[in-house]
Amino acid sequence: MDTKMNRQQEWYLLGTLVAVFGGRFSGRIGDYAHSARFQLKTAAELADDETERKRRLIGQADSLLSRMMNETELLLMACGGAVWSEEDELYLEIMAQRMEPFEDGADGVAVFSHAVLKERERFGRWLLSEDMSMALNGLLVLTGRLRRLLRHERKRLAEEEGEAKHRALFPEAAESPKCPVCGSPMRLRTAKTGTNAGCRFWGCTQYPACRGVREIIDGM
Ligand SMILES: [Zn+2]
């Protein structure tokens, strides 16, 4: 399969791997990792439109992971190891690993656990190492990567919540307009840069392949 993994699949799988590897360390590292994974599991099981709850659970997972990283760094230093820099060859090697997408189907749990096993093998080279410094650093890299994904997801969910609020305020705008360039539906976005920074506009759902935009007309 060469399709790209969907966002939720990626953070849920990565969150599970962090718990699988982190769980090898007794005490708080394992506890935090397991609790974070539970929040992510709960978030992943929510319906797509439960954005606010999902965002909150992901936020809680992120804060648990932050504590877990703190414990991991301390254990690493207690073992006489140093945290790898982002230029470290091993850091880059782990970051370059691409996980394999899998089918979400009726047999979800079995398929998922199979995916976990496969990725456990992929990252096990570092994270299951007998060398504590290697294993703990690997855990830090993987957790950092997961937290980056979670930050993006929280931001995206917050944007979706904004759109839902906008639709509640302007129900007549519930139907999104069509893209003037390619005819796809459009979604509300917020300009990040330029003189219109902070302003809302309709952007093509095919972005970045299509850059079609429309101004928001009041009440529409
Ligand atoms: Zn378009």
Side-chain angles (χ1 to χ4, degrees):
M1 232 189 311
D2 56 6
T3 51
K4 202 176 171 295
M5 188 174 246
N6 81 43
R7 271 185 308 261
Q8 177 162 307
Q9 239 177 28
E10 200 171 352
W11 57 251
Y12 183 33
L13 183 53
L14 211 45
T16 304
L17 286 167
V18 164
V20 165
F21 291 120
R24 296 174 63 226
F25 302 100
S26 57
R28 281 182 287 190
I29 294 179
D31 289 347
Y32 285 137
H34 284 181
S35 303
R37 194 270 175 166
F38 183 70
Q39 306 289 45
L40 294 180
K41 180 178 156 73
T42 311
E45 284 166 356
L46 287 176
D48 282 342
D49 60 353
E50 292 194 74
T51 45
E52 203 177 330
R53 250 191 97 196
K54 200 174 239 186
R55 189 166 57 87
R56 219 172 35 236
L57 286 164
I58 289 174
Q60 285 161 1
D62 188 50
S63 115
L64 288 161
L65 291 168
S66 159
R67 287 156 202 246
M68 193 207 89
M69 286 179 88
N70 176 51
E71 297 292 327
T72 308
E73 282 165 18
L74 288 170
L75 179 59
L76 177 60
M77 290 185 269
C79 295
V83 178
W84 292 340
S85 87
E86 294 190 6
E87 275 102 54
D88 196 291
E89 210 173 291
L90 293 165
Y91 175 96
L92 295 170
E93 242 178 85
I94 297 177
M95 287 302 282
Q97 299 297 314
R98 289 284 157 263
M99 299 190 295
E100 212 172 291
F102 55 91
E103 297 284 353
D104 279 319
D107 209 7
V109 180
V111 172
F112 183 74
S113 65
H114 190 78
V116 171
L117 279 183
K118 192 178 262 175
E119 300 306 333
R120 181 181 179 273
E121 206 166 302
R122 184 192 313 278
F123 292 103
R125 262 198 287 159
W126 303 279
L127 283 108
L128 296 174
S129 168
E130 289 297 317
D131 175 349
M132 276 288 263
S133 167
M134 170 93 85
L136 289 167
N137 263 301
L139 185 59
L140 286 173
V141 177
L142 212 62
T143 312
R145 185 168 155 178
L146 168 61
R147 292 186 65 204
R148 226 160 294 171
L149 286 178
L150 296 180
R151 262 199 299 279
H152 282 294
E153 190 69 335
R154 282 168 80 186
K155 212 170 132 213
R156 193 186 65 79
L157 289 166
E159 275 174 17
E160 260 182 37
E161 271 168 51
E163 284 169 29
K165 276 180 196 137
H166 182 90
R167 279 196 299 274
L169 285 171
F170 304 105
E172 61 276 35
E175 286 291 308
S176 73
K178 297 251 176 296
C179 172
V181 180
C182 73
S184 298
M186 305 193 85
R187 60 180 295 211
L188 282 168
R189 308 202 61 94
T190 305
K192 303 254 167 10
T193 53
T195 47
N196 293 323
C199 294
R200 311 275 286 161
F201 64 96
W202 290 105
C204 183
T205 46
Q206 299 306 307
Y207 180 86
C210 173
R211 296 184 175 254
V213 291
R214 271 183 197 279
E215 267 182 65
I216 294 179
I217 299 144
D218 267 342
M220 129 73 227

